[in-house]
Amino acid sequence: MLFLKTYFRHLLKNKLYTLVTIIGFAISLAFIILLGVYVKNELSVDDFQVNKDRIYRLESNEGVDFSGPIAVDLKNTYPEIEDYTRVYEQDGIIVLPLGEKFNANFLAVDDSFFSIFSYTLLQGSASEVLTLKNSIVLSQSYARKLFGEGSPLGKKITINTNTEFVVSGIMDDFPENTTFKQPNAMINIKAMANITGFKSFLTEYGFCSMNMYFLEKPNGNLQYKAPQILKKFKKDFWLYKEGYAEGVVFTPLKDVYFSTKQGIGVKSNNKNLIVILTIIVFLILLLAIGNYVNLTIAQATFRAKEIAIKKLVGSSKRSLFVQLMKESVMLCFLAVILALFLAKLAEPVFNSLLDTKLGLNSKVSFLNALTVIGFFIVVGMASGVFPALRITSFKPIDVVKGTFRKKNKTVYNNMFITFQYTITIVLLVCSFLIIKQTRFLRNYNVGFNKENIIHLPYLMGSDKKGTIKNTLEQIPGVEGVTLSWGSPIDGGSNQSFDYNGKPLSFQEFRVDSSFFSVFGIKMRPTKMAYTKDGIYVNEKALKVLGFDSMSTSLKVHDETHTILGVVNDFNFNDLRKDVGPIMIHQQQDDSYPSNVFVKINSSNSYETISKIKTAYSALVDHTPFEVTFVDDAINQWYIKEERTGKIISYFTVLSFIISFMGILAMSTFYMQQRKKEISVRKVNGASILQVFSLLNKNFLKWIGVAFAIAVPASWYVMQRWLESFAYKTQMSWWVFILAGILTLIMAFVTISFQAIKAARLNPMDSLRDE
């Protein structure tokens, strides 16, 4: 163990090298641990499902919504299908026998759901819990919320005051690594006819609003049947016959999580993000290893005498190589211990940033410990092999003559510095542009007023619309109230119809007379006589319909609607999509709205909202509800972009730290190597400014090379990313210049600190022994 004593003495003697190497390595490895666990978690989604290789979601090229009878038809037609479950998501109010009310999110599914999927039932049998139409299965956490610690089996609850259910089972809360979001409860989908009042909920082919999952028989080939099913759909299913959908796709369960088609009740992630994070993991690892290699080789000049003496007293090249490899693994081990501590500290930040639960504590196991140890031994050896070869290759006579340092070329050092700063500048540009795009999206004029408007869910019967509106309008600070079915924040519902032989798809709202004033939407009347069946369309609708000027009527299916006015185009989807055509109906006396929007005065808004909550709660018999600001709801559209920007920003900071530490140590050792040269120059009349310029020039020119490489690379990456948005910010030239200047300033300040120290040295201190 003598080598350890010698090595630790060397580390303590060279504190800057030790500090930079271990801390830089540890920070990098901490990020690698966190990202590695996250990527592994994401790629293992639904691995616990016993039937994961036999479960498929039915999709078209356009989406994943189908009508209920389609699942039955396919099951009866194709023997490859063993079973199916349809999925529909619903929010509602659960009422307990004593009158307590709770918000609930539940999935309506077929009774085969728990037989197809491997979610754990704590009470109840998978084949029986949803057999009865009025059965309901509660999640464990929600059951405790409703009934405490006692068993709720057999107890009765009511959904939306009109449908009674009996608790037939308790399911464990869904794990984090599954496609489905955690619902409060599961009900038999047959009950939806009662809950919604739509008796043909499961039999109407025109109602395409549910997802369906199929369990393939063992050794079946359901995907092979897709062309045959498509042919059948084009013949019999209106959605395909009229051109609203194309293609039939059976997506494997493992691919559903990364699908770009947003399904009912499921989570999703962008596979490109996982690929990017995986690349970043390897880049960080490469930067960390490269930094270590660079620093160790630079430090080698100060260990030359030690290695030379060992060679002169008989140590073989092989024994010295083994010693240096042991040292590398030891240093890596120290960095790993620190990295594990840093990773645990940073776990809450990563959970919030990536909207996940890493669960590092749950990953502690003997097998995982062996994996980590093995991986970092490999990292330590990979980090140490090149420096060991380099250090053991020099000749002792060179050290004696003092020529070793002159022979220690720095081409690889300069190449690595260039690589480091190329990565840093690229990350800076990407971070700036993602933030710029997110701010552009949030501040973009969407065509309607989104400030100082709050949203409430409509929770009463259609005959109470006037009561709600009048009550809320009387509250001081309220400037307007509108009730609507469909709105700019939810996009309304789709209305597909045939116009002059061409299939069209419009979004549809039903609004009251206050809608346009509350949202500040401009409308041009057509001067047509008022009719209660009249509609309003937007400018985009006129273009889609082929009208050269303002038209007076529009025929939808067999009904002709008078066009009362044309509204300016406004965005009712996130800005990845362009404005589509819309059709705005007037709300009738028996129409049921789904939204209440209240425009409030910006002064003393907190007190106004408090009064609105109190008044509305009394109107809806204290049914629980949530209040949302419209601008907050719109900001949620871009939460993924914001998170991506934050992720890139964190990695930019990490890249800066690694680069800063690397160039600080490298500049220190570079100045040490050139002390005699600097002293000679000063003796011959060189000024401090001249010496300072000489020492900075070598480093800064490589940063210029890095900038020249980084600009086209980052431009290409961000141009591809921005293509996914219908509305996008400009790729401003100043973003690239700012990234380059910030990197240059950081490097300049770091190098200058050492350069000034070297330039101010007394030449006699360096030349007295010459």
Side-chain angles (χ1 to χ4, degrees), residues 69 197 508:
E508 197 173 35

Side-chain angles (χ1 to χ4, degrees), residues 601-663:
N601 194 296
S602 58
S603 61
N604 205 9
S605 58
Y606 179 81
E607 182 179 345
T608 303
I609 293 173
S610 179
K611 291 179 179 178
I612 291 171
K613 287 180 178 179
T614 301
Y616 192 63
S617 180
L619 287 171
V620 299
D621 194 24
H622 303 289
T623 299
F625 61 89
E626 292 184 0
V627 176
T628 308
F629 275 94
V630 168
D631 55 350
D632 287 341
I634 291 174
N635 287 341
Q636 289 299 309
W637 291 353
Y638 312 113
I639 195 71
K640 285 187 177 181
E641 283 69 35
E642 185 176 301
R643 281 179 181 150
T644 302
K646 286 182 179 179
I647 291 169
I648 299 297
S649 298
Y650 276 105
F651 293 132
T652 303
V653 171
L654 175 62
S655 177
F656 259 106
I657 292 172
I658 295 173
S659 300
F660 168 78
M661 288 183 167
I663 204 166

